[in-house]
Amino acid sequence: MTQAPESLNLSMNGVPERSLDRDCTTLSRHVLQQLQSFGPQAQDLSALMNRIALAGKLISRRLSHAGLMEGVLGFTGEVNVQGESVKKMDVYANDVFISVFKQSGLVCRLASEEMEKPYYIPENCPIGRYTLLYDPIDGSSNTDINLSLGSIFSIRQQEGEDLNGEAKDLLANGRNQIAAGYILYGPSTMLVYTIGKGVHSFTLDPSLGEFILTEENMRIPQHSPIYSVNEGNFWQWDESIREYIRYVHRTEGYTSRYSGAMVSDIHRILIQGGVFLYPGTLSKPDGKLRLLYETAPLAFLIEQAGGRATTGHMEILDVVPKKLHQRTPLIIGSPKDVAKVESFIQNGH
Ligand code: AHG
Ligand code: MN
Ligand code: MN
């Protein structure tokens, strides 16, 4: 009897290689499998993820050639709505997401931390039922030094008509996100996403130009002694956060990892466990990170993997923003480690 082709695929040392089926599990196919449907909603979501993947490929390509091209790295000289100096890659990546959704018929509005107001794609507006919220480049300070960067995305259903362009319906909590995830530009480019049915990671195979399934139904460890925070802000924090950091310093086994790009730090924590913190500071009481483009999408994803995300006082997914670019403090990661930080904030120990 002949064997199935994949069972013949043995590597040099006799270990079976990844099955052909898995190698053919592209992102768009995976979304359809997750939804177990070929209906219009499933087709839309699959197409949306495919476009996000295209944005990831374009950004990844530019980053990997940055040292060989003129005009890719460095600052533009502009300051964005967040009061932060804008890098050329921030602008490029912001425009990439707009470009990939033009004429998509899917997305009528895009809101990004780099744009003061949402960007409308009028030709999509009669039919585009979705809004894309995104952080085009997360960890901008790593751009010019060839270190890890990310993009963060979130998809919401558009509620109502938004005729006056105020996007008021976006001032809602994070529980109505339809999809969220990130692209990590590291040694390889990975895309990690959730549509509320677990968390799944894909790796870009540059020879195929496709994101191929790496791991399905990722689960974050309950606890790990990894903590990730910019300790340069120590004297800017509330005493309760300082007390937590003193606790990890005097407890054997804790180790610190902080890359300057939250997507990388959270990717590590998703796989190995631990906690990432960006608490409020004296100068920025709500911290640095933006709810709609950064903390809510990552909270949705990490919760789907069995983790937690809180401001220290409430779940991130319950926070209702008063304005588009609202910031929140963030404590995110393994449930036991998040609870530990929370107990310092709420009970002082
Ligand atoms: P962005 O590049 O989108 O502004 O986000 C950077 C964020 C986050 O990725 C990172 O963890 C943090 O800011 C780093 O900020 P500090 O330099 O203040 O630690
Ligand atoms: Mn960011
Ligand atoms: Mn950014």
Side-chain angles (χ1 to χ4, degrees), residues 40-325:
Q41 166 97 356
Q43 296 286 354
D44 279 0
L45 264 184
S46 172
L48 276 162
M49 290 304 303
N50 215 19
R51 300 272 170 153
I52 291 170
L54 174 59
K57 290 178 215 173
L58 286 161
I59 296 166
S60 175
R61 183 178 70 177
R62 194 163 177 92
L63 285 171
S64 65
H65 291 85
L68 305 168
M69 293 162 68
E70 294 291 327
V72 174
L73 300 177
F75 291 97
T76 63
E78 305 286 309
V79 172
N80 68 11
V81 59
Q82 320 284 340
E84 296 162 348
S85 299
V86 177
K87 294 215 158 160
K88 291 176 188 165
M89 267 313 293
D90 292 319
V91 175
Y92 174 80
N94 192 68
D95 292 350
V96 162
F97 278 93
I98 293 172
S99 264
V100 300
F101 280 105
K102 275 188 183 154
Q103 289 158 4
S104 65
L106 293 163
V107 162
C108 163
R109 295 178 307 194
L110 297 94
S112 140
E113 65 171 35
E114 297 298 338
M115 301 186 289
E116 188 179 353
K117 298 207 162 115
Y119 184 100
Y120 289 79
I121 305 177
E123 65 269 25
N124 288 352
C125 278
I127 42 171
R129 295 183 297 279
Y130 303 96
T131 298
L132 181 81
L133 298 124
Y134 65 113
D135 176 0
I137 294 286
D138 174 64
S140 292
S141 69
N142 285 359
T143 310
D144 298 336
I145 50 173
N146 192 30
L147 291 184
S148 287
L149 296 163
S151 299
I152 305 172
F153 60 87
S154 162
I155 296 166
R156 296 188 187 219
Q157 190 98 40
Q158 180 163 332
E159 311 280 349
E161 291 292 317
D162 190 13
L163 291 174
N164 51 10
E166 288 185 337
K168 285 251 165 66
D169 62 299
L170 293 177
L171 305 182
N173 73 38
R175 300 208 179 268
N176 61 9
Q177 293 175 90
I178 293 172
Y182 58 78
I183 303 158
L184 170 63
Y185 311 101
S188 58
T189 297
M190 295 192 78
L191 190 152
V192 182
Y193 87 102
T194 184
I195 51 172
K197 294 175 183 292
V199 174
H200 319 287
S201 70
F202 291 73
T203 302
L204 178 62
D205 181 334
S207 65
L208 296 174
E210 288 275 10
F211 282 98
I212 302 292
L213 180 64
T214 298
E215 193 179 344
E216 243 175 345
N217 297 315
M218 301 172 82
R219 300 301 291 171
I220 190 170
Q222 290 287 301
H223 159 72
S224 154
I226 296 172
Y227 72 102
S228 185
V229 66
N230 184 346
E231 291 195 50
N233 292 332
F234 190 88
W235 293 108
Q236 289 266 330
W237 294 329
D238 188 74
E239 178 59 16
S240 59
I241 301 290
R242 292 203 290 261
E243 268 305 297
Y244 170 75
I245 295 299
R246 290 186 189 109
Y247 160 79
V248 300
H249 286 177
R250 64 173 182 263
T251 307
E252 207 183 320
Y254 272 95
T255 191
S256 164
R257 292 285 182 272
Y258 192 75
S259 73
M262 173 173 57
V263 164
S264 323
D265 291 322
I266 288 188
H267 189 68
R268 179 205 306 279
I269 287 169
L270 172 62
I271 294 168
Q272 299 181 339
V275 63
F276 175 96
L277 303 91
Y278 209 111
T281 59
L282 282 176
S283 54
K284 291 181 179 157
D286 287 328
K288 176 180 182 184
L289 303 170
R290 287 125 301 212
L291 178 68
L292 291 176
Y293 325 110
E294 293 174 313
T295 64
L298 293 173
F300 181 29
L301 186 117
I302 289 293
E303 281 200 8
Q304 281 290 315
R308 279 194 55 209
T310 170
T311 64
H313 298 283
M314 68 190 289
E315 302 298 311
I316 291 286
L317 291 182
D318 287 328
V319 178
V320 178
K322 292 194 175 60
K323 54 181 188 184
L324 221 48
H325 297 289

